[in-house]
């Protein structure tokens, strides 16, 4: 069966890939960077889609830290912004992080209930394809989008994951995927500094996040997935046991679901 990777954008697109696809959620500036940063430090991260959902989740979690933004600004009643730099510096011991963003956490929450949901950003993009290859024949790499736009940094990250999968034998799923890969496949991470998201961080005095993102490139040699409501580090042994329990649905034996 032909292996396929497709690039798409916006939380609303998830419904097209709920079954038969591994979904990779990408929101470089800033939600997926924040989420994997918490998980990489051994903390608990629970993405939510709205302020109301965050407040409901806080009632269930003792001493939770509310971190999030609406329109780029810290959400009302939250302790800190959706800030990977601040989260990396925060003492997260015994403090689960409830994470909210305008688009990225909406994308993640829309994808929950799909076959599997990976989170990717500049910190781990080179490793995501390595974990996907051999486990999933159909991959949808989805950018969160912002203000109705597929932002440059997300196109870049999506492209690099798709490009690496193409090099292992996957095929592009549509013409849009081909066009995006052609545009960004040879572009380096520094190009993200020229995008609208980076410009917003500069104008709003949130440069610490831009510098954090640009100074942490492929420093995490791991993949991160949604397990229930939480972001966790991918564990291949556990995944193998799970997939075997599902009659080998995702095993590299070739018993893949149809795209």
């Amino acid at each position: 069966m032909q292996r396929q990777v497709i690039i798409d954008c916006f939380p609303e697109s998830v419904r097209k890939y709920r079954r038969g696809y591994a979904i990779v959620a990408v929101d470089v500036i800033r939600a997926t960077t924040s989420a994997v940063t918490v998980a990489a430090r051994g903390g608990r991260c629970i993405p939510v889609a709205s302020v109301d959902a965050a407040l409901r989740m806080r009632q269930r979690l003792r001493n939770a830290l509310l971190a999030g933004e609406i329109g780029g600004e810290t959400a009302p009643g939250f302790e800190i912004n959706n800030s990977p730099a601040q989260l990396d510096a925060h003492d997260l011991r015994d403090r689960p992080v409830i994470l909210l963003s305008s688009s990225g956490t909406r994308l993640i929450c829309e994808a929950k209930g799909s076959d599997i949901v990976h989170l990717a950003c500049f910190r781990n993009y080179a490793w995501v394809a390595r974990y996907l290859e051999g486990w999933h024949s159909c991959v949808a790499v989805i950018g969160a989008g912002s203000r109705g736009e597929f932002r440059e940094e997300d196109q870049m990250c999506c492209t690099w994951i798709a490009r690496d999968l193409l090099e292992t034998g996957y095929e592009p799923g549509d013409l849009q995927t081909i066009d995006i890969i052609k545009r960004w496949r040879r572009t380096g991470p520094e190009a993200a500094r020229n995008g609208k998201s980076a410009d917003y961080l500069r104008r709003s005095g949130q440069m610490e996040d831009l510098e954090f993102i640009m100074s942490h490139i492929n420093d995490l040699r791991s993949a991160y997935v949604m397990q229930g409501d939480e972001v966790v580090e991918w564990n291949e042994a556990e995944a193998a046991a799970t997939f075997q329990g599902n009659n080998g649905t995702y095993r590299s034996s070739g018993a893949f679901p149809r795209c």
Side-chain angles (χ1 to χ4, degrees):
M1 179 180 176
Q2 185 184 63
R3 295 184 294 173
Q4 178 187 108
V5 59
I6 193 165
I7 296 174
D8 211 329
C9 186
F10 307 118
E12 296 76 17
S13 297
V14 168
R15 63 181 179 270
K16 295 184 285 185
Y17 311 105
R18 286 195 183 280
R19 291 293 173 264
Y21 283 84
I23 292 178
V24 183
V26 176
D27 185 2
V28 173
I29 302 179
R30 294 169 280 181
T32 53
T33 304
S34 293
V36 304
T37 295
V38 173
R41 293 188 55 204
R44 298 177 63 191
C45 182
I46 301 93
V48 293
S50 67
V51 171
D52 287 344
L55 297 178
R56 289 194 299 271
M57 184 63 70
R58 184 174 62 176
Q59 294 177 349
R60 294 167 47 189
L61 296 174
R62 182 175 176 273
N63 197 32
L65 170 66
L66 293 181
E69 51 84 13
I70 299 175
E73 300 296 327
T74 305
F78 281 53
E79 291 184 48
I80 62 174
N81 205 316
N82 164 32
S83 168
Q86 293 183 48
L87 285 165
D88 189 59
H90 228 77
D91 183 357
L92 300 179
R93 288 175 296 180
D94 302 318
R95 296 211 72 185
V97 176
I98 300 172
L99 184 69
L100 171 68
S101 74
S102 299
S103 300
T105 57
R106 281 184 52 225
L107 169 62
I108 296 166
C109 290
E110 284 288 338
K112 286 193 302 185
S114 303
D115 290 334
I116 191 166
V117 184
H118 282 259
L119 275 61
C121 60
F122 283 1
R123 296 198 69 178
N124 71 331
Y125 72 83
W127 299 93
V128 171
R130 300 188 186 196
Y131 285 90
L132 289 167
E133 196 277 325
W135 288 92
H136 308 280
S137 64
C138 303
V139 178
V141 193
I142 307 177
S146 179
R147 302 180 189 276
E149 297 178 321
F150 194 170
R151 289 295 170 93
E152 295 90 338
E153 67 279 358
D154 291 345
Q155 291 191 49
M156 292 160 60
C157 190
C158 290
T159 290
W160 300 331
I161 294 167
R163 174 198 64 195
D164 290 351
L165 287 172
L166 295 186
E167 291 175 356
T168 67
Y170 284 72
E171 296 292 334
D174 60 11
L175 291 176
Q176 173 181 268
T177 299
I178 293 171
D179 289 342
I180 293 172
I181 292 172
K182 285 181 177 178
R183 186 180 311 139
W184 298 106
R185 67 180 303 156
R186 292 184 174 86
T187 304
E190 282 296 316
R193 292 185 182 274
N194 302 321
K196 291 184 178 180
S197 299
D199 183 60
Y200 171 76
L201 293 180
R202 278 190 289 267
R203 288 185 289 104
S204 61
Q206 300 181 81
M207 280 295 293
E208 63 177 356
D209 282 333
L210 181 58
E211 294 309 320
F212 181 90
I213 290 165
M214 299 310 302
S215 63
H216 290 75
I217 308 295
N218 285 323
D219 63 317
L220 298 179
R221 301 165 67 93
S222 235
Y224 298 87
V225 299
M226 291 301 298
Q227 187 175 88
D229 291 327
E230 297 191 28
V231 181
V232 300
E233 186 173 359
W234 168 268
N235 184 305
E236 188 166 351
E238 289 181 5
T242 299
F243 296 155
Q244 286 171 345
N246 289 331
N247 298 317
T249 303
Y250 297 100
R251 296 296 299 182
S252 55
S253 61
F256 294 111
R258 291 189 179 276
C259 300

